[in-house]
Amino acid sequence: MSEVEGTVGAEGTVGVEGTANVLSEVNLDNSCKPLGENEEAKPDASHKAIVVTIGATVPTGFEVTAADEVQEKLGSHSRISKDRGKIYFDIPVNSLPQVHQLRSVDNLFVVVQEFKDYQFKETKEEALKDLEDLVKKLPWTDPLEVWKLNTSLKKRKIRRKKGNQQSNAKKEKVEGDGSGEGTVDKALHDPAQTMESTEVQDQEKTDDTTPPDEDEQYDSKEEFTSCGENENELNDYKKSEVEAQVLKFRVTCNRAGDKHSFKSNEAARDFGGAVQDFFQWKADMTNFDVEVLLNIHNNEVVVGIALTEESLHRRNITHFGPTTLRSTLAYGMLRLCDPQPADIIIDPMCGTGAIPIEGAAEWPNCFHIAGDNNPQAVKRTANNIYSLLRQNQSKESTPVGKPIDSIQWDICSLPLRTGSVDVIVTDMPFGKR
């Protein structure tokens, strides 16, 4: 069994007229009514009727755990793929924001079409020609509508995040002029930790001054569109915007199996060329707008459109150690323990604190203790807890604490009474992920 990954796009000319025709259904200018920075982008009436299949990559071995979370939070039954580490579930489009709040999934994509028993031709040329012809037969309309809505949600989230960072910076400046009593900084910082936290704050300030990218500039044009324009003027504006912004794309092929006559990069190249001919998009391997996924596992073929630019496990942790556990794995381990309210949960070898920090974020009715015998690990954990409190403070008008604490101890002589702990969850320090 071989498993390889290829990412290839096709070079070629781009026709503006063809783009305008095809993208008339996938219009980026969805509404002439601007949304406030604190408002969520909500699907309109046409979106609510759409039901799509979402694919999610999850840590291998935790497929059932992820399916249970989807059932609990979204009320959808999940199908576990033959290709390990993937699940599929159906949702109405208005549940898309809740999908991004799942804690056990790494990456998300909307399924264009799934073929459970795709019959590949024997020769390479015939097999690749079949993949090219497949592009014209796929139902792209609803998945591209979901991609459009997902892009809108991400833009609103970025604007809110920047607004919260600027607000926090102003608060810190005001508190710095006063006595500073009762601040989060004094509650968690010692002199050694202050140096590392300052680096994080400097990075956030740099992010605040980053100029908006082309997508954000385009989104600002949407907000200034007047609802008083008549229909003809609005249609002319939309058409000019579509012509001005030709979408960029790339095709990523993930293939597993030893009975294919082609390689992943060959499949991505030819499939990408057909996508470009069909939509008249422009190929770009780095600064792309749309990532088309071609997942091939033996005879199972799934075509999808990516909804995440980076893995959702990149949360909570800002100070990393040699083998920091992914947040999605930490959540899966905790969920298997089925924590109950008022449980005392400890990680006696916490490292950077990934498990107790994930626990404090998802199970706030329990108390989580992070301990380690390495002082550097305990310091990293304390800084990660501080970062979690800052995230929580940006969402709430007043600072809210978390039921978590860190301590340096010797696991052979824990300072805990017998029977005082309900759950022990830890990643054994063997130096391997």
Side-chain angles (χ1 to χ4, degrees):
M1 180 74 69
S2 63
E3 184 170 350
V4 285
E5 177 177 335
T7 302
V8 179
E11 298 296 337
T13 58
V14 178
V16 174
E17 182 179 356
T19 307
N21 292 335
V22 175
L23 291 183
S24 61
E25 296 182 352
V26 190
N27 187 6
L28 297 180
D29 187 12
N30 188 44
S31 173
C32 60
K33 181 180 179 180
L35 288 176
E37 289 188 358
N38 295 323
E39 284 188 67
E40 291 286 352
K42 297 181 180 179
D44 57 28
S46 62
H47 285 144
K48 291 181 180 179
I50 301 176
V51 176
V52 294
T53 300
I54 300 294
T57 61
V58 301
T60 303
F62 285 87
E63 294 88 351
V64 175
T65 304
D68 289 342
E69 184 192 12
V70 171
Q71 180 66 46
E72 176 186 307
K73 296 182 177 180
L74 300 177
S76 300
H77 174 72
S78 299
R79 307 184 303 278
I80 298 176
S81 173
K82 296 178 182 178
D83 186 9
R84 297 183 64 190
K86 291 186 179 70
I87 63 172
Y88 299 95
F89 51 92
D90 299 331
I91 63 160
V93 172
N94 58 355
S95 296
L96 189 60
Q98 286 74 33
V99 174
H100 282 274
Q101 300 301 317
L102 295 174
R103 311 291 291 188
S104 58
V105 302
D106 288 320
N107 290 286
L108 297 166
F109 59 94
V110 57
V111 174
V112 177
Q113 193 163 356
E114 180 180 4
F115 303 89
K116 295 184 178 180
D117 189 20
Y118 191 89
Q119 298 300 316
F120 291 99
K121 297 297 177 60
E122 294 183 1
T123 66
K124 179 194 295 187
E125 291 75 14
E126 290 178 333
L128 293 176
K129 184 63 168 61
D130 266 3
L131 290 177
E132 291 181 27
D133 295 338
L134 182 63
V135 172
K136 300 177 182 179
K137 304 174 184 177
L138 295 174
W140 294 98
T141 303
D142 286 351
L144 284 171
E145 286 289 338
V146 174
W147 169 83
K148 179 189 66 175
L149 176 62
N150 187 74
T151 302
S152 176
L153 291 171
K154 286 191 294 185
K155 288 177 181 177
R156 268 68 179 186
K157 184 177 180 181
I158 290 172
R159 287 203 300 272
R160 285 198 305 271
K161 183 177 180 180
K162 288 186 177 181
N164 289 332
Q165 288 176 346
Q166 293 172 354
S167 177
N168 288 338
K170 292 179 181 179
K171 289 180 180 179
E172 289 176 357
K173 184 176 181 181
V174 172
E175 291 173 354
D177 295 338
S179 61
E181 293 182 0
T183 61
V184 177
D185 298 59
K186 287 196 173 184
L188 284 177
H189 273 188
D190 58 28
Q193 294 169 346
T194 304
M195 184 178 297
E196 291 191 31
S197 298
T198 303
E199 297 176 358
V200 177
Q201 294 170 5
D202 291 341
Q203 183 178 0
E204 291 177 346
K205 291 178 181 178
T206 303
D207 293 340
D208 289 342
T209 59
T210 302
D213 57 23
E214 294 179 359
D215 288 340
E216 292 172 342
Q217 292 175 359
Y218 173 78
D219 192 59
S220 65
K221 292 180 181 179
E222 292 182 18
E223 294 184 356
F224 284 103
T225 303
S226 172
C227 290
E229 295 177 337
N230 60 45
E231 186 175 354
N232 292 333
E233 292 175 341
L234 185 59
N235 289 336
D236 291 341
Y237 173 78
K238 290 181 179 180
K239 183 177 179 180
S240 64
E241 288 297 326
V242 169
E243 293 178 349
Q245 181 176 353
V246 177
L247 290 181
K248 301 175 183 179
F249 83 103
R250 80 173 185 186
V251 172
T252 300
C253 177
N254 300 285
R255 182 181 63 85
D258 53 6
K259 296 183 180 180
H260 304 128
S261 59
F262 53 86
K263 297 180 180 179
S264 295
N265 58 345
E266 294 172 333
R269 178 197 63 206
D270 289 14
F271 191 82
V275 169
Q276 185 178 42
D277 292 341
F278 185 67
F279 288 107
Q280 294 297 301
W281 291 343
K282 182 179 180 181
D284 195 317
M285 298 300 96
T286 53
N287 300 317
F288 52 88
D289 301 304
V290 184
E291 182 176 19
V292 179
L293 304 176
L294 178 61
N295 297 328
I296 303 174
H297 180 77
N298 293 326
N299 286 340
E300 184 181 76
V301 177
V302 179
V303 180
I305 299 175
L307 299 179
T308 50
E309 295 179 0
E310 64 175 10
S311 176
L312 296 179
H313 82 264
R314 298 181 182 276
R315 59 175 184 262
N316 301 338
I317 306 301
T318 56
H319 293 70
F320 295 86
T323 56
T324 300
L325 193 69
R326 290 193 299 174
S327 296
T328 47
L329 274 171
Y331 175 84
M333 295 170 67
L334 285 160
R335 188 176 179 88
L336 288 173
C337 297
D338 191 23
Q340 301 298 313
D343 276 355
I344 304 296
I345 305 175
I346 73 166
D347 182 354
M349 297 171 280
C350 68
T352 54
I355 295 175
I357 288 175
E358 184 68 23
E362 187 66 14
W363 287 276
N365 293 328
C366 303
F367 192 81
H368 306 265
I369 303 176
D372 204 289
N373 68 338
N374 189 326
Q376 184 65 27
V378 176
K379 185 167 71 171
R380 291 193 186 106
T381 299
N383 279 286
N384 285 327
I385 294 174
Y386 172 69
S387 297
L388 178 67
L389 292 175
R390 283 180 59 87
Q391 293 177 17
N392 190 59
Q393 183 178 359
S394 66
K395 297 176 183 178
E396 305 291 341
S397 57
T398 57
V400 178
K402 289 289 184 180
I404 185 173
D405 203 354
S406 61
I407 184 173
Q408 182 177 352
W409 60 23
D410 181 1
I411 192 174
C412 297
S413 180
L414 295 177
L416 300 171
R417 293 181 181 179
T418 301
S420 62
V421 175
D422 299 289
V423 179
I424 299 177
V425 187
T426 191
D427 178 24
M428 303 294 285
F430 298 139
K432 297 180 181 180
R433 293 187 183 274

